[in-house]
Amino acid sequence: MAKPHITRTVGPIHFEDLDPHRFEDLVRQLAYDFRPWKSIESTGRGGADDGFDVRAFEEARVPATVMDDEADAEDIPHPMEGNLWMIQCKREKEVGPKKVATIISDGVAAQAPPYGYILAAPVHFSKAAHDRFREELRSRGVMEFYLWGAGELEDMLFQPKNDHILFAFFGLSLATRRRSRAASVRSTVLAKNKLMRVLGDRPVQRVLVRDLDDESYPYEGDYPDFDKNPRWKEYKAHSFDPCGLVVTEARHFAYLDREGGEWDSTELVDEDVSLGDQQEEQQQAQCLAVKGFWELLPRARRAILVRRALLRFDAIAYIDAKGHSVFDMPHLYVPYEAKHGPFAGFHEYLEINEHTQVPLEGLTRKAVFPDRFSAPSFGTVHSGPALTLDAATHARLQHGRREVTLYGLGSQYGQLKPTDVVPVSLHGSRAAEKFFIKVTNIGVVKGGVLLKQAEHSLAMQHDIGSQLGGTLKASDKVRVVEAAGIYEWQIDQNRPVI
């Protein structure tokens, strides 16, 4: 299952949404915690500010020696005195080196400079602007100076201690987001734990995934597009992923030529849907037609297209462990999205058997399945004599194995064609009922090719040896007949094997 890529971040703060006075208020709020101030004055609000938007005085620090000595009172600094700071705010789009020099020249007098100076503007200052800033203020005798650009202002606003300022001016609270995230994690863990209790560590049962916003369950007729966009649907649970529950979204009949790198599938029916009484007659006929076509493919090229889907734990709003009589299974309530429904992602691959999975990457799709499928039918139903099978093949059919392979040399089995039905003689419990095999595919290969195919299959080697003996030569032409066992009643009802 491919991991979903999720990015969560906060966009740039829109300082431009603040008028100049509100920007000045913002900077003043951020400055309160910058120094131990005795007072901060918002001089820019009243006009005639002599270049000061904000004027601030640090607390006066009285040396311990002065406090200990019995000096005159006039030698002790006044409690309201302290280092003077000048804060200027410029809510402008661009502030370059020349503009910086102009601002300082107009606001800071070289004859009576403040102790400290701060210039704040919602722009990204260049290195040249920083250098000019330092040069101008040092030449005027300012002892401390700071340039607060957009980056510095955002850094201060994103500090936890300033979260109330961020919310007051921009309606954004990272603390609220953290609390929301904690609640989200808690909800996700609770959903995961409950789902694992209901389904077990290795889920195999079915679940009903329901649209959280639906109010018409179980009446499908309330939705004219229910067939294309179902508001509830049954899925088979497959496994647990670290992010959620993986379900089987669909299993479609497919074709795979591994040597040629080609594949195809049909999505008309789901291989996993049983032919139950609840299906309409038309649906049953379509399932039979598709399966009938698929069974006539060479057995080595039959495949199933499997589509898995991820249902994230954090998307599950509620879990009803008991379900309802209409769908007697756990119900999972999930918000549906227009494109993917309740799922966060999908993963597709071709399944040859329960243990072999082939990815679609690198394969070319080739049209094999038709748009319309004819009803399955039988070819010639041979009346006799019954085929005499080798002991191994006879044993497979006798014990319920449905698919077998026959190997013939020369004209042996030459009378058979795909879809033909031939009687076979079985002994034991099945002897009372007539038993047949239906030919699903026939091919002719050279003995050397057949022996090479059997190199990795002991069962195939045994069947070839049992049916052809040890006389097979590389130049021999072997007729390979793939067939499946059926009963007489299946012929009467004209049903396919699979």
Side-chain angles (χ1 to χ4, degrees):
M1 180 74 62
K3 180 180 179 181
H5 296 284
I6 301 174
T7 301
R8 294 177 181 174
T9 184
V10 177
I13 295 179
H14 293 274
F15 295 103
E16 68 275 9
D17 293 341
L18 304 177
D19 64 39
H21 286 305
R22 284 300 285 164
F23 181 70
E24 176 187 318
D25 294 340
L26 171 66
V27 173
R28 189 176 68 257
Q29 288 288 329
L30 292 173
Y32 272 110
D33 199 38
F34 185 67
R35 282 287 192 277
W37 307 113
K38 193 65 179 179
S39 67
I40 295 182
E41 303 167 356
S42 178
T43 55
R45 281 285 193 173
D49 54 16
D50 294 330
F52 290 84
D53 290 320
V54 179
R55 186 174 65 173
F57 293 90
E58 284 188 85
E59 289 185 357
R61 297 171 182 169
V62 180
T65 54
V66 174
M67 297 296 294
D68 295 337
D69 295 341
E70 295 180 356
D72 294 337
E74 61 184 24
D75 296 332
I76 301 176
H78 190 278
M80 293 301 293
E81 290 183 0
N83 292 329
L84 171 64
W85 282 74
M86 176 181 179
I87 303 176
Q88 283 191 288
C89 307
K90 299 294 180 180
R91 203 222 63 181
E92 301 184 13
K93 293 183 178 180
E94 292 185 10
V95 180
K98 291 184 179 180
K99 183 67 174 179
V100 168
T102 301
I103 293 172
I104 295 174
S105 177
D106 294 342
V108 181
Q111 296 79 9
Y115 170 82
Y117 177 84
I118 296 174
L119 173 60
V123 300
H124 295 285
F125 290 105
S126 65
K127 178 181 179 299
H130 277 275
D131 292 342
R132 189 65 179 272
F133 179 76
R134 295 174 62 86
E135 178 185 332
E136 292 290 337
L137 290 172
R138 291 188 64 169
S139 66
R140 284 169 169 75
V142 179
M143 301 304 295
E144 290 190 52
F145 38 83
Y146 299 93
L147 192 58
W148 290 357
E152 290 78 10
L153 292 171
E154 282 194 355
D155 289 345
M156 288 186 280
L157 285 169
F158 288 156
Q159 293 179 24
K161 66 179 181 180
N162 293 326
D163 192 73
H164 64 290
I165 302 175
L166 180 65
F167 183 77
F169 283 85
F170 301 100
L172 176 65
S173 173
L174 298 184
T176 302
R177 285 193 170 199
R178 284 190 288 272
R179 288 194 295 270
S180 298
R181 176 58 181 160
S184 175
V185 170
R186 181 176 181 273
S187 176
T188 299
V189 172
L190 289 175
K192 174 185 73 71
N193 291 343
K194 182 172 183 179
L195 204 56
M196 294 185 76
R197 286 196 304 270
V198 172
L199 301 181
D201 294 339
R202 296 182 178 180
V204 293
Q205 68 187 92
R206 293 184 176 274
V207 296
L208 187 72
V209 180
R210 297 178 56 176
D211 187 351
L212 182 63
D213 297 325
D214 165 65
E215 297 180 354
S216 296
Y217 173 86
Y219 304 107
E220 299 179 6
D222 290 354
Y223 297 101
D225 63 339
F226 190 88
D227 289 341
K228 293 184 178 179
N229 301 299
R231 274 61 171 188
W232 56 87
K233 189 175 180 181
E234 181 182 342
Y235 299 96
K236 186 176 181 180
H238 176 262
S239 61
F240 282 113
D241 179 88
C243 295
L245 175 67
V246 178
V247 301
T248 301
E249 199 269 338
R251 289 175 59 88
H252 298 301
F253 292 100
Y255 164 91
L256 172 62
D257 178 4
R258 301 185 73 173
E259 293 76 16
E262 297 175 332
W263 77 282
D264 192 26
S265 71
T266 176
E267 298 190 2
L268 287 180
V269 300
D270 193 325
E271 183 265 349
D272 201 34
V273 176
S274 60
L275 297 175
D277 295 335
Q278 72 276 13
Q279 281 191 314
E280 297 179 359
E281 184 177 348
Q282 184 177 1
Q283 290 177 312
Q284 289 186 352
Q286 189 173 56
C287 288
L288 291 170
V290 174
K291 290 181 178 181
F293 180 91
W294 180 77
E295 71 164 356
L296 295 179
L297 295 174
R299 198 175 299 154
R301 296 187 179 182
R302 296 182 203 166
I304 299 294
L305 175 66
V306 180
R307 184 182 298 120
R308 309 285 189 202
L310 175 64
L311 192 65
R312 290 182 61 92
F313 292 126
D314 56 10
I316 302 175
Y318 189 75
I319 301 171
D320 178 5
K322 296 185 178 180
H324 186 267
S325 59
V326 178
F327 290 93
D328 188 13
M329 61 189 69
H331 290 203
L332 312 182
Y333 292 81
V334 184
Y336 275 47
E337 296 184 1
K339 187 174 182 181
H340 297 298
F343 301 116
F346 299 89
H347 174 57
E348 289 184 326
Y349 59 87
L350 292 170
E351 182 180 270
I352 299 177
N353 52 54
E354 294 182 357
H355 307 290
T356 304
Q357 300 176 0
V358 179
L360 296 178
E361 291 77 9
L363 299 178
T364 302
R365 189 154 188 174
K366 170 188 175 182
V368 173
F369 291 92
D371 294 331
R372 293 184 178 182
F373 293 82
S374 302
S377 62
F378 293 101
T380 302
V381 179
H382 298 265
S383 58
L387 285 180
T388 301
L389 305 175
D390 64 285
T393 304
H394 183 279
R396 290 192 183 95
L397 292 174
Q398 187 71 38
H399 292 91
R401 176 74 175 270
R402 302 184 69 183
E403 294 192 323
V404 294
T405 303
L406 307 180
Y407 301 96
L409 288 173
S411 61
Q412 190 178 12
Y413 306 129
Q415 78 280 16
L416 300 179
K417 296 179 181 179
T419 71
D420 280 1
V421 176
V422 186
V424 296
S425 57
L426 290 183
H427 309 292
S429 59
R430 297 196 175 192
E433 187 175 3
K434 289 186 177 180
F435 197 76
F436 300 80
I437 60 171
K438 176 186 175 181
V439 178
T440 57
N441 194 269
I442 297 178
V444 178
V445 298
K446 286 190 175 182
V449 174
L450 190 63
L451 292 173
K452 187 173 183 179
Q453 292 175 353
E455 286 180 353
H456 303 290
S457 173
L458 293 177
M460 188 174 177
Q461 294 174 21
H462 181 271
D463 287 346
I464 294 173
S466 176
Q467 296 183 39
L468 302 180
T471 60
L472 182 61
K473 300 177 182 178
S475 59
D476 288 339
K477 290 185 178 180
V478 182
R479 183 171 282 102
V480 181
V481 180
E482 295 179 349
I486 61 173
Y487 291 101
E488 189 172 22
W489 61 265
Q490 290 178 283
I491 300 175
D492 297 337
Q493 294 188 14
N494 198 32
R495 292 188 175 185
V497 177
I498 304 300

